Every structure is written in C-alpha cells, then in structure tokens.
Amino acid sequence: MNIPFLDNWRKRRGPPSGVALMGAQEEDPQGVAQLLSECELLRARAATAGIGLDDSAASLEALDQLLPRWRDDPDELPWLANDAGLYLGTVIIRTVPGAVWQVWPNGHPVVRLGSGREVDVVEAGRQWATDGAPELSQLYAEVAET
C-alpha cells in the first residue's frame, strides 16, 4: 500500500504500535492477519536483493543472508525491524498448526502457539535487524518444534 501522507506521519510518530488492532482482532481476524503480513519495506528490500518472500521457512533463511544495509539508516531500521518481526509471525501463522495472531491490550501483536505460548515476534525482528542474532530461521525452527 502506498499512502503518501503516511510517510510523513511515520517519520513524526515512529514505528507502528499496533494500537488500532485491538478491536479489529475480534471483528476481522483474517483482515488483521492480512494487514500484519504486508511488511512492505521488508518485501521491497528483499526484492531488490533478488529474494522472493513467499511466506515460507526457506524465505526466512534467505532473509538471514541479506547484507544489513538498513543498520546504516536510523530512520529505516525501526521500520524494517518491525516488518521483519511481522514477517516472521506471518510465516509462523501460515505454517505452524494452531498458531494465531494475538494482540495484547496495548496493541502489540504477538503469535500465540497452539500450546498457549506467546512469541514476541516484533521484538525478535528488532533483535535480528539490529544485531543479526538470533536468525529468523533459527527462531522459526525453535517455534515449529513446539
């Protein structure tokens, strides 16, 4: 989605907090999942590097191999980090039986596994984008085992 006025708003406000998702999760869980799966910036950076993101575990491995050029851009880093976490969550939701999006009361999206365990994928995306560790594919493998 290219909404020009959002670019300026994002620069002033910082990364999305997800507060708007609180009520929407109960009303339209499919719509929330679709919204969280967009990850537009990450998908654009991956496409530039020749990586197609098909919501599979293999695509997480490919992302782990990207050169982290976003670390040089303090404006891009938080957005890409957020997208990385949401993409990890999207792959988990689509491939791990029983996994669903859960939005905390403060609007923070996490993945709830069939076992009841909650995985803070947004924080995992921040760590990956900032430090490169743990790798997204490693986190996925850990979650898929449970």
Side-chain angles (χ1 to χ4, degrees), residues 8 11-12 17-18 30 38 41 49 72 83 87 110 123 129 132 134:
N8 291 331
K11 288 178 183 173
R12 289 193 315 264
S17 65
Q30 298 276 346
E38 286 182 0
L41 179 61
D72 297 332
D83 277 7
Y87 184 72
V110 297
E123 179 56 31

Side-chain angles (χ1 to χ4, degrees), residues 36-79:
L36 294 174
S37 72
E38 286 182 0
C39 313
E40 188 175 330
L41 179 61
L42 180 69
R43 289 180 189 277
R45 295 298 172 264
T48 299
I51 297 171
L53 299 184
D54 60 359
D55 302 341
S56 69
S59 65
L60 294 173
E61 293 175 14
L63 283 175
D64 287 336
Q65 303 306 312
L66 276 177
L67 290 175
R69 293 188 172 106
W70 57 84
R71 291 182 192 151
D72 297 332
D73 185 347
D75 291 331
E76 185 174 317
L77 178 62
W79 291 99

Side-chain angles (χ1 to χ4, degrees), residues 18-33:
V19 174
L21 299 176
M22 288 173 30
Q25 180 182 3
E26 289 79 28
E27 293 176 24
D28 186 10
Q30 298 276 346
V32 169

Side-chain angles (χ1 to χ4, degrees), residues 2-22:
N2 184 16
I3 305 174
F5 75 86
L6 278 180
D7 290 336
N8 291 331
W9 182 85
R10 287 175 176 162
K11 288 178 183 173
R12 289 193 315 264
R13 305 263 187 216
S17 65
V19 174
L21 299 176
M22 288 173 30

